[in-house]
Amino acid sequence: MTRHARHTWLAPLALGAVLLAVWALVAAFAGLPAFLLPGPLDVATRLVGMLGGPVVWPYVALTLAEALGGCALGAAVALPLAVLVHRSRWVGAAVTPFLGATQAIPAIALAPLLVLWVGYGLTAIMGLCSLMVFFPILISSVVGLTHVPREVVDAARIDGAGSWDLLRHVEAPLALPNVLAGLRNGFTLSVTGAVVGEMVMGGEGLGTLLTLQRDAVDTAGMVAVIVMLCVIAASAYTLLLVVERRSTIVADVRETPRG
């Protein structure tokens, strides 16, 4: 294992151990009741019990489906628009001010409108997730397309590449690391959107489970569900980060001049 790889794994493990130790000390000596601040052992016991039974897995599956569906929907709109913004100055000039304006609107404020337009449940939650992931995917993709080396594009045009061939064989592969970075950040936001959507617009995922545990004052259960959400988001984030780094290596090889 290389030194960089050791740092990649050991640094977050060390920070996690420190945070767990601080949490355990505060829970043990702060004098707070368990329903306000359960200790790590209580949460771990509750988490193992939940994961060992069949009840929690349908909640996990539905939240994952909502997050993945919303992220895919947002990407399906953001990626073609990124190409249009990159290729057309008119489209870029027309769209950019509105993109900035949309970011001033909290996603949670759109939830009641989505309920009115599409009703409660899966469709509305996926719509909320797609709105949350749209902007980071679009911006990252536009940045990636804009920073494709001009000399590579010119060489492809000299070789007779048309607009579609240029996008498919040159611009898209070289912009892929940025696109994946947008998807990486977007999916974590999509998980947040799914949970918030379930709590506001109804649903049967982990957000609903959090609401039930809140009403039952099951603080250890709530923290256990939050840990599940963190693991889901962190796993997807890490997976896409690995793919992004590998695509960066491929992009660097493509850009390297051949002697």
Side-chain angles (χ1 to χ4, degrees):
M1 183 181 291
T2 65
R3 184 175 181 180
H4 176 72
R6 286 197 300 269
H7 288 171
T8 300
W9 292 104
L10 291 177
L13 288 176
L15 178 60
V18 170
L19 293 177
L20 279 175
V22 172
W23 177 13
L25 289 172
V26 172
F29 297 107
L32 296 173
F35 73 88
L36 285 181
L37 182 63
L41 184 59
D42 295 332
V43 173
T45 303
R46 189 78 169 86
L47 180 60
V48 171
M50 293 171 66
L51 294 178
V55 176
V56 75
W57 292 107
Y59 291 98
V60 174
L62 186 57
T63 297
L64 270 176
E66 292 163 349
L68 287 170
C71 192
L73 181 60
V77 177
L79 294 177
L81 183 58
V83 175
L84 285 175
V85 170
H86 171 63
R87 290 285 178 85
S88 172
R89 292 182 179 178
W90 286 99
V91 174
V95 169
T96 300
F98 291 97
L99 292 177
T102 59
Q103 293 309 291
I105 304 173
I108 190 66
L110 297 174
L113 287 175
L114 290 173
V115 169
L116 289 175
W117 293 336
V118 299
Y120 290 92
L122 181 64
T123 303
I125 295 171
M126 287 178 57
L128 181 63
C129 292
S130 66
L131 290 173
M132 294 185 70
V133 308
F134 171 79
F135 188 76
I137 295 176
L138 175 65
I139 295 302
S140 295
S141 302
V142 171
V143 169
L145 290 169
T146 303
H147 285 82
V148 172
R150 187 65 188 177
E151 58 272 17
V152 176
V153 175
D154 292 339
R157 291 189 185 279
I158 292 173
D159 289 339
S163 180
W164 169 248
D165 290 332
L166 185 64
L167 176 64
R168 180 182 176 185
H169 297 293
V170 178
E171 292 179 321
L174 293 179
L176 184 59
N178 291 81
V179 175
L180 290 173
L183 289 171
R184 174 162 47 91
N185 295 323
F187 182 77
T188 56
L189 289 173
S190 189
V191 173
T192 302
V195 174
V196 171
E198 289 163 357
M199 298 181 76
V200 175
M201 297 183 286
E204 297 178 357
L206 291 175
T208 304
L209 185 57
L210 277 172
T211 302
L212 295 174
Q213 291 169 332
R214 179 199 63 193
D215 295 341
V217 199
D218 182 6
T219 311
M222 292 178 67
V223 178
V225 172
I226 292 171
V227 170
M228 291 183 203
L229 292 169
C230 291
V231 170
I232 291 172
S235 299
Y237 188 94
T238 303
L239 177 62
L240 288 171
L241 182 60
V242 171
V243 176
E244 177 189 335
R245 286 176 176 173
R246 291 185 177 180
S247 67
T248 301
I249 295 173
V250 174
D252 290 340
V253 171
R254 287 178 179 239
E255 290 183 43
T256 302
R258 297 180 180 178

